Amino acid sequence: AQSVTQLGSHVSVSEGALVLLRCNYSSSVPPYLFWYVQYPNQGLQLLLKYTTGATLVKGINGFEAEFKKSETSFHLTKPSAHMSDAAEYFCAVTNNNAGNMLTFGGGTRLMVKP
Amino acid sequence: DAGVIQSPRHEVTEMGQEVTLRCKPISGHDYLFWYRQTMMRGLELLIYFNNNVPIDDSGMPEDRFSAKMPNASFSTLKIQPSEPRDSAVYFCASSSWTSGKGLEQYFGPGTRLTVT
C-alpha cells in the first residue's frame, strides 16, 4: 500500500518569498513521485515528476523538488513566489511502473500575498 | 491537440435521477482514468481503462456507479440513481505509453456535479 501526506492544507507566502510545500510518502517499493497544480475551476496539470536518476527534479514555472529516500520526502520549492503561483498543489505517488494507480495527497492551497 | 474534453462542465440534478458524464481522451492515448474530487475525501481514482478495457474498478463507490469505454475516443461515467453525497467534481484523465510518457496523466477540466 502507498500513501501521501502533505503537511499544511494552506500555506501563505509573500510575493518574492521562498515557496516550500511539504510531501511525505509511504511506499513498500521505490516510488515514482509527482507534483500537480490545480488552478481554480481547472483540471490538474503536471508540474514535475521523479522516476529514477537525479534526485533533484526541475519542473515548469520555476518549481523543483528533491527526492530524499532517507526522509521519504519529496518537497516542492520555488525560490521566489509570484502572484500567479496561487493555486492548489497535489503530491502523488505510484509504485506501479505503468503509472496507473496514482495516490494523491490531500492538497496544499498556496496563497501569495502582494 | 485539444486536450482531454469533458462534458457537461456543470450538472445539477435531483436525487434519484440518472447522470451521465462524458469524456474524450487525447487522441492516441491508451489509458483513461476517472477521478472524483471532494472536500472530505480529496482526489480518488474510481476506475481506469487500458485500450478500452476496464482494468481496475475497485475505487467505484457502489453499484450505482458504472463506466464504459466503447471506443478509444469516448468514455462515460454513469450514476443511477444519483444521491446528494455524489456531489463532487469528476475528472477524466488520459495517458499514453506508446509515446513514452505513460507516467504523465493529462486531466480534463472536470464536471462539477450537484445532486439536490
Side-chain angles (χ1 to χ4, degrees):
Chain A
Q2 55 200 22
S3 65
V4 177
T5 301
Q6 292 182 238
L7 294 176
S9 58
H10 292 79
V11 170
S12 181
V13 301
S14 297
E15 191 172 20
L18 171 72
V19 176
L20 171 60
L21 304 183
R22 299 179 186 274
C23 172
N24 288 88
Y25 68 91
S26 171
S27 176
S28 57
V29 297
Y32 294 164
L33 295 156
F34 308 80
W35 275 99
Y36 281 84
V37 61
Q38 184 180 28
Y39 298 102
N41 299 314
Q42 294 186 27
L44 280 70
Q45 179 184 2
L46 181 65
L47 270 180
L48 51 80
K49 67 179 186 290
Y50 168 80
T51 54
T52 58
T55 57
L56 182 63
V57 181
K58 296 187 185 296
I60 62 173
N61 302 338
F63 284 93
E64 61 183 36
E66 186 171 11
F67 170 59
K68 292 187 176 181
K69 183 179 179 180
S70 61
E71 299 178 7
T72 61
S73 70
F74 191 57
H75 301 331
L76 182 70
T77 59
K78 182 174 180 178
S80 176
H82 295 158
M83 297 296 291
S84 60
D85 295 327
E88 187 145 20
Y89 293 79
F90 292 91
C91 183
V93 65
T94 183
N95 56 24
N96 179 327
N97 62 10
N100 302 330
M101 305 294 285
L102 275 177
T103 299
F104 285 89
T108 297
R109 184 168 299 279
L110 175 65
M111 294 168 284
V112 183
K113 298 176 292 185
Chain B
D1 200 307
V4 176
I5 298 172
Q6 291 186 247
S7 64
R9 292 293 311 274
H10 301 272
E11 177 79 40
V12 180
T13 190
E14 293 184 348
M15 182 174 61
Q17 296 298 306
E18 177 180 296
V19 175
T20 299
L21 312 181
R22 297 172 175 79
C23 174
K24 176 179 169 56
I26 293 173
S27 177
H29 280 196
D30 50 353
Y31 279 85
L32 183 139
F33 309 82
W34 282 101
Y35 292 89
R36 179 172 67 175
Q37 184 179 37
T38 62
M39 290 292 291
M40 292 297 293
R41 300 176 66 88
L43 268 163
E44 305 172 279
L45 176 65
L46 300 178
I47 184 172
Y48 76 91
F49 296 81
N50 176 217
N51 291 325
N52 315 336
V53 177
I55 303 301
D56 191 318
D57 65 354
S58 59
M60 297 284 262
E62 47 198 278
D63 292 345
R64 297 184 297 106
F65 285 70
S66 63
K68 294 182 180 180
M69 192 165 186
N71 58 61
S73 59
F74 183 65
S75 177
T76 59
L77 178 68
K78 185 176 294 187
I79 308 173
Q80 166 64 16
S82 58
E83 297 182 3
R85 60 194 168 117
D86 301 331
S87 297
V89 181
Y90 291 81
F91 288 104
C92 176
S94 67
S95 68
S96 168
W97 278 90
T98 55
S99 72
K101 294 186 174 182
L103 288 171
E104 299 181 16
Q105 294 187 19
Y106 294 81
F107 283 73
T111 295
R112 182 174 297 276
L113 173 65
T114 303
V115 183
T116 60

